[in-house]
Amino acid sequence: AATFLVGDQYHIDSNGAFCAEMLEVKGLGTHTRADVSSPKVTGLLGFADALREMCLQRLIQRLVDIEGLDASLGTVPFYALIDTGLLYC
């Protein structure tokens, strides 16, 4: 996974907290030294795993909202689940 700053912009607020618009990217494949000894080790995020992560993100964000902490913290939202069309086991 990698987290990118949107527009390469950020600031530190008066309490010393890091503030930025961020985008998290997952499942982009493997690197050249990856262990690919098993067909299950592809480096790609499976659809079921992606749905599970999206549900967990939304659950955690909802709990943050319910507790009234949304002004001070939050999760990185999902924008899309993209099916690459790649077949793997």
Side-chain angles (χ1 to χ4, degrees):
T3 303
F4 297 98
L5 299 178
V6 175
D8 291 329
Q9 297 179 0
Y10 67 92
H11 69 276
I12 307 298
D13 70 9
S14 60
N15 295 322
F18 179 81
C19 300
E21 296 282 330
M22 293 182 276
L23 177 65
E24 187 168 342
V25 179
K26 294 185 177 186
L28 293 178
T30 61
H31 55 84
T32 57
R33 301 181 84 184
D35 174 16
V36 291
S37 58
S38 165
K40 292 185 177 183
V41 183
T42 63
L44 299 174
L45 185 64
F47 187 64
D49 294 328
L51 285 176
R52 184 177 66 238
E53 287 202 20
M54 183 176 71
C55 291
L56 285 173
Q57 177 269 325
R58 290 187 177 178
L59 172 64
I60 292 168
Q61 184 61 52
R62 183 67 182 128
L63 293 172
V64 168
D65 295 342
I66 289 170
E67 292 297 321
L69 300 171
D70 54 316
S72 59
L73 65 103
T75 61
V76 178
F78 277 74
Y79 292 99
L81 297 177
I82 300 171
D83 182 358
T84 62
L86 298 174
L87 298 177
Y88 58 95
C89 299

